[in-house]
Amino acid sequence: EVQLVESGGGSVQAGGSLRLSCAASGFIFDNYAIGWFRQAPGKEREGVSCFENSDGSAYYADSVKGRFTISSDNAKNTVYLQMNSLKPEDTGVYYCAAEHLPIISRCPREYWGQGIQVTVSS
């Protein structure tokens, strides 16, 4: 059974940093695309960053390029999202997602974590 458990969210002032973690179980990292989405109140869920561990290619939404970095620790089956220079518009619920390769869309959407709140105050 695929399970994704997020941690590391919280509240921070603008300009601050947070690191989200997604502990994955029930699948082999190399066979999956993994990524992060977020959903702000009243808005659709959007892909923030995702990658395919098999080739190392990563996608970043334009709004987070240069500020967010996705990485993984295969030994721990954990994916991270380092978020720097946070802005109030980064506020939302962040979700970890995974999908068995190959995927059609840019970011995975097959399995989801429960989500974790990130709040950035001005």
Side-chain angles (χ1 to χ4, degrees):
E1 178 186 5
V2 173
Q3 287 190 328
L4 304 168
V5 180
E6 301 98 337
S7 61
S11 298
V12 65
Q13 289 191 329
S17 298
L18 284 173
R19 189 177 80 158
L20 303 182
S21 299
C22 172
S25 60
F27 65 95
I28 300 172
F29 255 31
D30 280 352
N31 297 338
Y32 280 72
I34 303 172
W36 292 92
F37 287 72
R38 68 185 179 192
Q39 188 165 19
K43 294 188 177 181
E44 292 187 356
R45 193 173 297 186
E46 62 171 346
V48 174
S49 180
C50 47
F51 79 105
E52 296 180 13
N53 206 31
S54 57
D55 65 10
S57 60
Y59 160 81
Y60 293 95
D62 287 342
S63 58
V64 306
K65 281 181 182 176
R67 300 188 298 121
F68 291 11
T69 303
I70 191 170
S71 63
S72 68
D73 184 334
N74 290 357
K76 296 182 178 180
N77 263 25
T78 300
V79 178
Y80 304 98
L81 186 67
Q82 178 67 44
M83 305 185 295
N84 298 329
S85 302
L86 283 162
K87 304 175 181 180
E89 51 264 43
D90 294 318
T91 294
V93 178
Y94 282 69
Y95 298 89
C96 181
E99 185 170 344
H100 194 281
L101 293 172
I103 63 173
I104 297 174
S105 56
R106 181 176 292 138
C107 285
R109 294 175 179 268
E110 183 176 6
Y111 301 100
W112 297 90
Q114 80 283 358
I116 193 164
Q117 179 70 41
V118 170
T119 302
V120 184
S121 57
S122 58

